């Protein structure tokens, strides 16, 4: 489904963020032309499901204890500062999406950044308490300390946008 995000709508509920992934269209892409021959491929559902299972069965693709420990530092801070949690549904989505993303050539940090920005930070929309702005600044510093500068670019962008609005 779609949900417009403007001054005529309410914020999206936590339940929606837990069950779906929201996508923002912040920029307009330039039109392009494909200048090479591209053949159509057809993939059946059972074959697609087997690709997912293969990706998830590779140890190198999955989150390990160190990955979870780093990510938990961020999510624990968010819980402590904003009383914002996410449950087993999002953890299950992380366990399924990360290996698939890695198998497609991506990096763990990129998919974790995407999930943090779309599933967790999006829940902060519409929060205007006075502690929010300084806590967001501390969250930026924590992201840089745990993952390095500019590693979580999507999350940093969302946090900086929220700080500007406050």
């Amino acid at each position: 489904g779609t949900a417009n995000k403007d001054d005529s709508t309410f914020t999206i509920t936590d339940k929606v963020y837990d069950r779906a992934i929201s996508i923002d269209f912040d920029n307009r892409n330039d039109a392009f032309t494909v200048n090479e021959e591209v053949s159509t491929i057809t993939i059946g559902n059972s074959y697609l499901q087997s690709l997912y299972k293969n990706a998830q069965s590779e140890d190198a693709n999955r989150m390990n204890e160190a990955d979870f420990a780093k990510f938990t530092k961020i999510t624990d801070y968010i819980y402590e500062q904003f009383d914002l949690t996410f449950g087993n549904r999002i953890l299950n989505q992380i366990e399924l999406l990360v290996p698939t993303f890695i198998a497609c050539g991506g990096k763990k940090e990129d998919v974790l950044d995407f999930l943090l920005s779309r599933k967790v930070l999006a829940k902060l929309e519409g929060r205007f308490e006075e502690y929010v702005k300084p806590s967001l600044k501390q969250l930026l510093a924590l992201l840089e300390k745990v993952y390095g500068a500019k590693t979580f670019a999507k999350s940093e962008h969302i946090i900086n946008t929220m700080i500007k609005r406050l």
Side-chain angles (χ1 to χ4, degrees), residues 5-65:
K5 191 170 82 173
D6 57 30
D7 58 351
S8 69
T9 60
F10 294 104
T11 59
I12 295 173
T13 65
D14 286 0
K15 182 169 63 172
V16 173
Y17 287 120
D18 289 347
R19 289 173 171 79
I21 293 179
S22 65
I23 300 172
D24 287 340
F25 296 101
D26 295 330
N27 300 314
R28 187 174 19 169
N29 290 328
D30 294 330
F32 64 93
T33 305
V34 176
N35 296 322
E36 55 192 67
E37 255 331 285
V38 180
S39 58
T40 304
I41 61 169
T42 303
I43 298 176
N45 184 50
S46 60
Y47 180 65
L48 182 60
Q49 293 301 321
S50 74
L51 291 174
Y52 291 147
K53 286 182 179 156
N54 288 341
Q56 293 158 7
S57 70
E58 292 290 327
D59 285 339
N61 294 345
R62 292 198 305 256
M63 295 278 288
N64 59 39
E65 286 184 38

Side-chain angles (χ1 to χ4, degrees), residues 73-74 77-78 80-82 131-146 159 163:
K73 287 179 184 177
I74 304 302
Y77 174 84
I78 292 169
E80 291 163 8
Q81 294 301 310
F82 303 105
Y131 68 87
V132 172
K133 188 173 186 174
S135 296
L136 287 170
K137 289 178 180 180
Q138 291 174 358
L139 178 56
L140 278 174
L142 182 62
L143 280 169
E144 185 173 333
K145 178 181 176 187
V146 172
I159 293 166
I163 289 171

